[in-house]
Amino acid sequence: EGPADGVLEEGDMVLRVGAELCLSFRPLEENLDRAIEEKKETISMQVVREEKVVDLEVPVQNLHEITPDRFLSISSSVLHPLSYIMAKTFNLPCIGVYVACPGYMLGNAGVHAGSVIVAVGKKETLTIDEIAEAFDELPDGRPFTLSFFPVDDANHQKTTVVYMDKRWASALAYIRDDAGGVWWKYPFLKRGLEAAPEDDDEEEGFEGGAPFLSAST
């Protein structure tokens, strides 16, 4: 599900990248880096496919855009988007919420580090914003189902019952500031301990609230 999905095909042999003959990986890497620096959306590429020469315009994507720059901490659990490196390692699409540390709430429900969460109750949670919103809607102490799979065994999805805990530790979102070289933290629960699902006039996502300097990178 990368940007070149449906354009490049398995078995393609790269002949040229732009106007440059591609006899090693280096010209490909240099041209891709240059395309990102120049903010180009595509790069021209010539490949051999089934004994035919094919000219392509291949979309490019900045690796930093799919490298997690934020994480959530709730009840000592630490969650972040599934990274490109982990997705590539286990041949997965780069979607889902990765459990870096199960902490108190998820650990009590048998969710281990290395799990990928895909749903909270009946709500699909494939992004960090979606799971933050789902947690925000649940009152403290409310049981809910959590669907997940081990990152190394995506074919075996599991469902467990988790009890929402908003008292054990502060619920915070941490966001990396590359320009400033720091991490900022924000409270991401807007509804308090007693969630009110009918109160839907709050801004979506978790980036509200006053930032606090967390740590220098």
Side-chain angles (χ1 to χ4, degrees), residues 76-153:
S76 297
S77 304
V78 178
L79 312 172
H80 63 71
L82 180 65
S83 70
Y84 164 77
I85 298 300
M86 293 297 289
K88 181 177 181 294
T89 299
F90 295 102
N91 196 29
L92 298 171
C94 198
I95 55 175
V97 177
Y98 183 79
V99 180
C101 176
Y104 176 76
M105 181 175 72
L106 298 182
N108 280 349
V111 181
H112 302 294
S115 299
V116 180
I117 298 171
V118 293
V120 172
K122 296 181 180 179
K123 179 176 290 188
E124 191 175 60
T125 54
L126 300 181
T127 69
I128 205 76
D129 288 282
E130 289 173 346
I131 200 166
E133 183 179 351
F135 283 165
D136 197 21
E137 293 175 351
L138 291 165
D140 184 58
R142 171 75 60 84
F144 63 94
T145 57
L146 187 85
S147 299
F148 66 98
F149 61 83
V151 70
D152 59 352
D153 192 9

Side-chain angles (χ1 to χ4, degrees), residues 6-144:
V7 181
L8 289 174
E9 295 182 4
E10 186 176 352
D12 286 349
M13 296 177 60
V14 180
L15 291 180
R16 292 183 181 275
V17 181
E20 189 172 356
L21 193 64
C22 189
L23 300 178
S24 67
F25 184 74
R26 184 172 179 177
L28 176 61
E29 182 181 28
E30 290 177 346
N31 278 272
L32 288 172
D33 287 344
R34 191 178 304 119
I36 294 300
E37 290 172 1
E38 296 174 358
K39 301 186 184 304
K40 293 181 178 179
E41 295 184 356
T42 63
I43 188 171
S44 60
M45 193 175 290
Q46 190 176 74
V47 304
V48 176
R49 180 181 297 167
E50 297 179 353
E51 300 183 356
K52 296 180 181 180
V53 176
V54 181
D55 292 315
L56 302 171
E57 285 294 322
V58 180
V60 295
Q61 185 178 34
N62 191 336
L63 182 60
H64 291 289
E65 294 178 0
I66 52 175
T67 299
D69 63 351
R70 58 193 61 199
F71 65 91
L72 300 182
S73 177
I74 179 170
S75 189
S76 297
S77 304
V78 178
L79 312 172
H80 63 71
L82 180 65
S83 70
Y84 164 77
I85 298 300
M86 293 297 289
K88 181 177 181 294
T89 299
F90 295 102
N91 196 29
L92 298 171
C94 198
I95 55 175
V97 177
Y98 183 79
V99 180
C101 176
Y104 176 76
M105 181 175 72
L106 298 182
N108 280 349
V111 181
H112 302 294
S115 299
V116 180
I117 298 171
V118 293
V120 172
K122 296 181 180 179
K123 179 176 290 188
E124 191 175 60
T125 54
L126 300 181
T127 69
I128 205 76
D129 288 282
E130 289 173 346
I131 200 166
E133 183 179 351
F135 283 165
D136 197 21
E137 293 175 351
L138 291 165
D140 184 58
R142 171 75 60 84
F144 63 94

